Amino acid sequence: KMAAATMSPYFGQQMSSKNDLVPAWTSQEVSTGTTIMALEYDGGVVIGADSRTTTGAYIANRVTDKLTPIHDRIFCCRSGSAADTQAIADVVTYQLGFHSIELDEPPLVETAANLFRASCYRYREELTAGILVAGWDRRKGGQVYCVPIGGMLVRQPVSVGGSGSSYIYGFMDSNYKPNMTKDQCLELTAAAVSLAMERDGSSGGVVRLASISKDGVERRVILGNQLPKYSTH
Amino acid sequence: MEKRSVDSRVRGVSTGTTILAATFDGGVVIGSDSRASIGGEYVSSKTINKVVQVHDQIFCCMAGSLADAQAVTKAAKFHLSFHSVQMETPPLVIAAASVLQELCYNNKEELQAGFITAGWDRKKGPQVYVVPLGGMLVGQPVTIGGSGSTYIYGYVDAKYKPNMSREECLQFATNALALAMGRDNVSGGVAHLVVITETGVEHVVVPGNKLPKFHNE
């Protein structure tokens, strides 16, 4: 399934087109083959993503927003099938909103993460969704939870996801240090996502960043010409 | 014999290894891990050396099917030494790379092997060439290959600078190999590095416990 959505070789896509007058991508599933990232810092979290959505070789949306709000201080980063992740995010937003009203309190990030996990695990055969849940709550501060394909749940101080993430594991392992400040986290996220965008064909466009803390959510965008430049390209 | 998987997007053939080569001011560093595995489940050798000397100051790293790579380097060594005797001069690095390219391109249907060639010659100094699966030949200041290389593209892009010093380049290569070995289960063991300059060749072996450790490990 993953193969159908994002990883099929180019030649395979051409062969499966039934009609030569119509390009192959018109019959391909929309995918957010992507690069997403989330880091915890003392007091909140920083999340980042690229902005490319593809249907096969066509970029359906080059300014996608993959950082989706689930609640006031909880976001999710989506990778995998665009349809699947949007549907799951909508369901969780509803469930979490309801739960929060019942509790009469802002919900916990761990609750949101568990709701994602419940859907992703129950329907793991049908879904292709890799999600990072990040946010701030009063009990545990900034938290990042990773819900990859298959529906596992694990909390990590830093997590990367999507097809572009493979290229930046080395960079993240060497550059991440515990107890970074918010600005250091933003810089690291921007650098890592742009490195991945340069190497992964399914990632590109602009870098979207957000930081979430008890004071709220701050969003920013780094455009193509403002991205850091490297000597190898 | 490593399990192979074809990825026809950017990376070429994935194989159970991490190899790299980088030029610095006055020379080149070429290196690899030392693991040979069967299908990612069994490590058949913990200490294999994938950096092969094809001439006095020219080395190759192999990736892909170990059998194919060894057969090709054996043939290349022969061709190169013959060529060098005929020309009465040490071969150029690009000559070594071209020999590999010819073998890989002409036998592209049967072979599953890719190479990184690095060395020093009098004409152009330190150079790195890569001959991936189909038999293309491209010269680059720095290049990485093998299954473990996917995880260090970001690191290499961010950290490599042209004209580093020898020590900086050696540290960069060791770090890159260590990071890749930390994430790729079919790369591991020791880091074999060879530093080639005008004056000669130096082998550096960094055992597993002396490799740099990074936070997430």
Side-chain angles (χ1 to χ4, degrees), chain B residues 35-114:
Chain B
R35 180 174 290 184
S37 56
I38 299 181
E41 281 145 11
Y42 174 68
V43 176
S44 50
S45 170
K46 295 189 274 188
T47 52
I48 194 171
N49 190 353
K50 303 175 197 178
V51 184
V52 171
Q53 184 163 25
V54 291
H55 208 264
D56 295 348
Q57 285 179 300
I58 307 177
F59 282 72
C60 276
C61 270
M62 30 187 187
S65 149
L66 207 49
D68 287 350
Q70 286 181 343
V72 170
T73 44
K74 208 165 168 191
K77 253 172 142 165
F78 162 73
H79 279 120
L80 212 56
S81 82
F82 191 77
H83 167 75
S84 155
V85 164
Q86 275 191 316
M87 304 295 282
E88 291 184 15
T89 178
L92 299 177
V93 185
I94 192 166
S98 303
V99 166
L100 287 167
Q101 180 206 16
E102 247 180 301
L103 290 165
C104 289
Y105 180 71
N106 291 331
N107 298 299
K108 58 161 49 166
E109 306 304 324
E110 284 90 24
L111 290 174
Q112 287 250 316

Side-chain angles (χ1 to χ4, degrees), chain A residues 101-114:
Chain A
I101 288 171
E102 279 189 316
L103 238 54
D104 200 19
E105 241 180 49
L108 299 176
V109 186
E110 192 174 351
T111 311
N114 272 288

Side-chain angles (χ1 to χ4, degrees), chain A residues 71 93-107:
Chain A
H71 206 268
T93 307
Y94 161 74
Q95 291 172 330
L96 198 64
F98 191 89
H99 167 75
S100 168
I101 288 171
E102 279 189 316
L103 238 54
D104 200 19
E105 241 180 49

